[in-house]
């Protein structure tokens, strides 16, 4: 299996700083802003963005986590039953500007499920999407408002975001399945 | 873990990993019932039939709410208002219901083994909601879930089950599950309410509540079925209450952090004093809340 590093720890750190600035710029500050990360790596990125925003503005944003397992549309097509994790949004979403965070944007189906779940929690003023990597191949009309890196890929390639909290290092790698 | 089972008939046949997987999944489902919109779309398009041949408030409502919160469609049939009174057999009733394209049957029946029989007659998933004196797996699971939540772990926990062990499906499901997860179980009752050979399930038997109350971490108190008293299994309700009822005085002898449980409905003043039912260490209503989450987890695992 061929493996190429797309982002190392320093690059990932710089990208997160830039994304934090872009979010603040577009929303003109932190008024009504909340972060919601999609498990299991989006929620870690959401917490890191909250840290960056605190460093910049000295304001703490609320961070929630979303487990979209129960909203998936592919139960019948995936082999193993996915483990259900907890959704934790301990604040009211009504009228809030929700920044939805995920690691990789691919088909868009995860985001569809996440938006459906968010709306079951209330009526946000708006939802914006931030992703670390946009690898293309959308199957739904969904796009990200903030992108860490656009990464054109083929369907045979696998993009993996690795984060210290769950994996050994902070990096983004792309692997290609060898032809048999 | 990879869930393979189609039916939930009892805790006896479940592996330790399967029980733990249900408990872990339950933890995630509990949050849904605290949302403003208590519904997720997971079982949209599935049809679930509640087939109850015995009366029930808690279990039937709990299963129905669990199914509805997962967006399944539910139908409730009680034996008294169905064709069962015209003499239709269980097999025929079930196969006719199944012909309407349903996905699961939740059944309570007075005969032990009825859901096992049903699971061989139909293609739908069968969930045992209590069969005779045999098992009541979701009650066992929700009791164990509540104990694990309050005490951290089941391993090494000392649990006393007090009451009519002989006729209790709740006791059997508790014993199977708790023993598998490494708890020590003591059954406490007058000799006439202890079934022969119960020791083979790996439990200790004690005829005196006063002897064990100071040593255990959990008291799971069963309902005294008042109709049993007429069969002469114990001399009077009053005597039972005096020897086996959990009173304020008796509870003073227990560990400070004892957990007091009851599957309901409670006969206040018989197996449990009203003051005990309202004690902060008594978690009867939390058991009911957890019951909905357990049943959501079970329906999700079996039907998804």
């Amino acid at each position: 299996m061929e493996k190429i590093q797309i982002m190392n720890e320093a690059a990932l750190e710089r990208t997160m700083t830039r994304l934090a600035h872009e979010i603040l710029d577009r929303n003109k500050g932190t008024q009504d802003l909340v972060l919601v990360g999609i498990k299991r790596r989006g929620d870690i990125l959401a917490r890191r963005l909250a840290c960056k925003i605190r460093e910049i503005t000295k304001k703490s944003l609320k961070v929630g986590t979303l487990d979209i397992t129960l909203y998936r549309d592919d139960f019948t097509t995936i082999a193993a039953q996915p483990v259900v994790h907890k959704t934790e949004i301990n604040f009211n979403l009504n009228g809030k500007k929700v920044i939805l965070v995920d690691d990789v944007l691919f088909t868009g189906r995860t985001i569809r499920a996440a938006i459906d779940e968010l709306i079951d929690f209330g009526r946000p003023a708006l939802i914006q999407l931030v992703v670390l990597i946009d690898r293309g191949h959308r199957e739904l009309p969904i796009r990200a408002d903030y992108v860490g890196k656009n990464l054109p890929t083929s369907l045979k390639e696998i993009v993996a975001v690795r984060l210290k909290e769950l994996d050994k290092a902070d990096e983004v790698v792309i692997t290609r399945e060898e032809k048999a | 873990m990879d869930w393979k089972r189609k039916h939930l008939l009892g805790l006896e046949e479940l592996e330790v990993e399967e029980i733990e997987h249900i408990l872990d999944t339950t933890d995630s489902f509990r949050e849904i019932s605290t949302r403003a919109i208590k519904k997720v779309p997971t079982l949209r398009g599935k049809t679930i039939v509640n087939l109850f041949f015995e009366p029930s408030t808690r279990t039937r409502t709990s299963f129905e709410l669990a199914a509805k919160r997962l967006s399944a469609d539910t139908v409730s049939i009680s034996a008294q208002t169905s064709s069962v009174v015209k003499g239709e057999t269980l097999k025929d009733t079930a196969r006719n219901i199944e012909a309407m394209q349903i996905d699961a049957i939740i059944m309570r029946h007075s005969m032990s083994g009825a859901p096992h029989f049903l699971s061989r007659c139909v293609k739908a998933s069968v969930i045992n909601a209590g069969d005779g004196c045999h098992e009541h797996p979701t009650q066992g699971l929700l009791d164990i879930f509540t104990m694990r939540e309050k005490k951290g772990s089941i391993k090494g926990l000392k649990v006393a089950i007090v009451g009519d062990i002989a006729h209790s499906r709740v006791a059997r499901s508790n014993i199977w599950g708790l023993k598998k997860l490494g708890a020590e179980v003591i059954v406490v009752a007058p000799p006439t309410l202890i079934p022969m050979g119960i020791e083979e399930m790996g439990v200790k038997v004690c005829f005196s509540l006063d002897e064990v109350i100071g040593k255990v971490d959990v008291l799971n108190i069963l309902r005294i079925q008042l109709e049993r008293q007429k069969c002469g299994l114990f001399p009077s309700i009053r005597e039972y209450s005096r020897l086996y009822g959990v009173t304020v005085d008796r509870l003073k002898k227990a560990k400070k952090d004892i957990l007091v449980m009851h599957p309901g409905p409670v006969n206040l003043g018989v197996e449990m004093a009203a003051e005990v039912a309202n004690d902060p260490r008594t978690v009867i209503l939390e058991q009911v809340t957890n019951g909905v989450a357990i049943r959501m987890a079970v329906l999700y695992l079996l039907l998804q």
Side-chain angles (χ1 to χ4, degrees), chain B residues 94-199:
Chain B
R95 296 192 57 172
N96 275 280
I97 294 167
E98 195 184 33
M100 301 180 202
Q101 316 299 332
I102 54 109
D103 301 283
I105 299 176
I106 297 163
M107 186 171 74
R108 169 165 290 185
H109 202 282
S110 56
M111 302 292 277
S112 298
H116 304 69
F117 166 74
L118 191 69
S119 71
R120 292 191 294 270
C121 307
V122 296
K123 289 188 205 77
S125 285
V126 175
I127 298 170
N128 182 1
D131 62 327
C133 304
H134 180 225
E135 280 226 47
H136 188 350
T138 54
Q139 180 71 43
L141 286 166
L142 78 90
D143 287 348
I144 294 167
F145 179 85
T146 310
M147 290 179 211
R148 192 176 82 157
E149 189 199 5
K150 296 286 173 188
K151 295 289 179 186
S153 163
I154 297 297
K155 204 171 173 60
L157 210 60
K158 274 194 178 181
V159 181
I161 305 174
V162 187
D164 189 352
I165 310 296
H167 301 95
S168 173
R169 50 198 176 210
V170 177
R172 279 173 190 74
S173 285
N174 262 269
I175 294 169
W176 284 120
L178 286 168
K179 290 303 294 178
K180 278 173 203 270
L181 297 183
E184 192 182 313
V185 182
I186 308 161
V187 294
V188 184
T192 48
L193 297 182
I194 301 262
M196 294 270 282
I198 188 88
E199 296 88 348

Side-chain angles (χ1 to χ4, degrees), chain B residues 39-56:
Chain B
K39 214 177 186 66
V40 292
T42 318
L43 294 185
R44 211 176 43 176
K46 304 271 185 193
T47 309
I48 297 171
V49 175
N50 269 317
L51 186 56
F52 276 62
F53 292 89
E54 271 190 356
S56 162

